[in-house]
């Protein structure tokens, strides 16, 4: 698949770099920061949602690692930030293996530089919409053994995959590679049953991303639930961002109000 459209372009905001801004990172451009500030002004809980999404990723990896998962495939991994998948996994198993996948130039180059000295972790430049390029990549084949359980992470990326790319079929293709005991973690933005204030915010966000290189696609609970077909949902099931984290009791009312997205973890029986 042609990734030339995703080479470095500092003149147009980029979805991965916008996420980096919302997480407090520094691998972004003035154009990214300008749009991010406009989004913060019109939809202040969107950046909070980005942080809760990242928190979910960390919690999901912790859960999987504590269950014995020692190899992970992270699709649409983004720009490295505090609490990366391999850092969490290595706390449970120093030999844990991780393959990060992204096609955005800064995400790939930054990850490549930071991971150069870690033989158990790599990043490949590939498009998750082309599963063969991911699953059959030499570095994926070298690091991951799909005859053993794998933690598949598709967190914060499917909201940029449009209907014509058939996200349900993509998830099913990757899931079909997972043996018994593997796990799948997903997150997806949604505007299901939102109160008027949150609906206004997410409408503003969708409009703002029209100025970025990738646009947002919102989806329903039922569509997200379908992506977990063939797995057994881990408690508490498919829930809003603030409701999955084991540390949710520490969240304040403002954080708990950030409910325009679903997250979940499923186990392959």
């Amino acid at each position: 698949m042609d990734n030339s459209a995703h080479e470095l372009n500092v003149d147009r905001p980029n979805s991965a770099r916008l996420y980096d801004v919302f997480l407090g990172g520094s691998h972004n451009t003035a154009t990214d920061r300008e749009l991010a500030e406009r989004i913060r002004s019109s939809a202040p809980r969107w950046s909070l949602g980005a942080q809760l999404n990242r928190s979910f990723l960390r919690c999901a990896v912790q859960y999987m690692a504590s269950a014995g998962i020692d190899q992970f495939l992270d699709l649409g991994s983004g720009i490295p930030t505090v609490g990366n998948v391999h850092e969490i996994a290595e706390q449970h198993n120093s030999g844990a293996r991780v393959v990060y996948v992204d096609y955005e130039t800064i995400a790939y180059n930054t990850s490549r530089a930071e991971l150069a000295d870690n033989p158990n972790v790599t990043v490949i430049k590939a498009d998750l919409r082309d599963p063969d390029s991911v699953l059959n990549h030499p570095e994926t084949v070298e690091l991951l053994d799909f005859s053993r359980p794998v933690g598949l992470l598709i967190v914060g990326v499917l909201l940029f995959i449009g209907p014509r790319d058939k996200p349900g079929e993509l998830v099913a293709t990757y899931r079909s590679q997972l043996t018994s005991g593997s796990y799948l973690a997903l997150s997806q933005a949604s505007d299901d049953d939102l109160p008027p204030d949150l609906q206004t915010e997410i409408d503003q966000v969708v409009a703002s991303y029209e100025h970025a290189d990738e646009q947002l696609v919102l989806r329903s609970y039922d569509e997200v639930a379908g992506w977990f077909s063939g797995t057994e949902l881990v408690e508490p099931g498919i829930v809003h961002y603030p409701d999955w984290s084991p540390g949710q009791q520490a969240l304040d009312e403002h954080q708990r109000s950030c409910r325009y997205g679903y997250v979940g973890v499923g186990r392959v029986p």
Side-chain angles (χ1 to χ4, degrees):
M1 184 169 292
D2 181 13
N3 293 330
S4 60
H6 303 282
E7 295 304 317
L8 182 60
N9 181 351
V10 299
D11 296 323
R12 190 175 190 188
N14 168 266
S15 57
R17 300 194 307 260
L18 285 168
Y19 191 44
D20 183 63
V21 176
F22 295 136
L23 295 178
S26 58
H27 299 290
N28 46 71
T29 70
T31 306
D32 302 319
R33 294 188 290 274
E34 180 182 349
L35 181 58
E37 282 307 311
R38 294 209 304 269
I39 293 173
R40 283 195 180 111
S41 297
S42 62
R45 279 170 286 195
W46 183 256
S47 59
L48 175 59
Q51 295 163 24
L52 290 173
N53 185 69
R54 188 71 186 184
S55 177
F56 164 70
L57 173 67
R58 290 193 291 265
C59 289
V61 173
Q62 288 172 347
Y63 180 91
M64 295 178 190
S66 66
I69 300 297
D70 61 1
Q71 47 180 359
F72 296 85
L73 178 61
D74 186 0
L75 302 178
S77 52
I79 296 168
T81 186
V82 176
N84 293 298
V85 171
H86 69 281
E87 294 170 332
I88 298 167
E90 287 170 353
Q91 293 173 6
H92 294 265
N93 185 329
S94 60
R97 299 187 168 201
V98 179
V99 173
Y100 294 107
V101 181
D102 212 300
Y103 60 24
E104 198 279 328
T105 300
I106 290 181
Y108 173 78
N109 289 343
T110 305
S111 299
R112 201 77 184 173
E114 292 193 5
L115 301 173
D117 297 327
N118 191 330
N120 292 327
V121 186
T122 193
V123 58
I124 64 173
K125 194 169 189 179
D127 191 325
L128 69 86
R129 293 171 296 182
D130 182 3
D132 284 343
S133 72
V134 174
L135 297 169
N136 295 320
H137 192 285
E139 293 182 50
T140 304
V141 173
E142 179 182 358
L143 280 182
L144 302 184
D145 177 4
F146 282 91
S147 70
R148 298 176 50 246
V150 172
L152 175 60
L153 309 168
I154 317 179
V155 178
V157 65
L158 290 173
L159 69 165
F160 299 110
I161 303 297
R164 70 177 184 177
D165 290 311
K166 302 178 180 178
E169 293 184 14
L170 287 173
V171 174
T173 297
Y174 285 104
R175 191 182 61 238
S176 70
Q177 302 301 305
L178 303 179
T179 191
S180 176
S182 297
Y183 287 88
L184 165 66
L186 288 170
S187 70
Q188 169 63 43
S190 175
D191 62 352
D192 281 357
D193 303 320
L194 293 180
D197 58 334
L198 272 182
Q199 185 65 57
T200 298
E201 284 196 16
I202 201 164
D203 288 345
Q204 292 281 356
V205 173
V206 171
S208 294
Y209 269 84
E210 291 293 330
H211 302 286
D213 64 336
E214 294 176 308
Q215 284 66 60
L216 295 182
V217 181
L218 307 180
R219 294 187 166 93
S220 68
Y221 176 94
D222 289 342
E223 184 169 0
V224 175
W227 294 343
F228 285 100
S229 176
T231 73
E232 299 170 343
L233 286 171
V234 170
E235 290 295 334
I238 301 169
V239 295
H240 295 294
Y241 293 119
D243 297 333
W244 204 92
S245 167
Q248 61 177 295
Q249 295 84 357
L251 299 180
D252 60 30
E253 184 176 352
H254 183 59
Q255 292 169 316
R256 286 181 177 277
S257 72
C258 183
R259 310 185 71 76
Y260 38 45
Y262 293 114
V263 298
V265 173
R267 182 183 183 275
V268 178

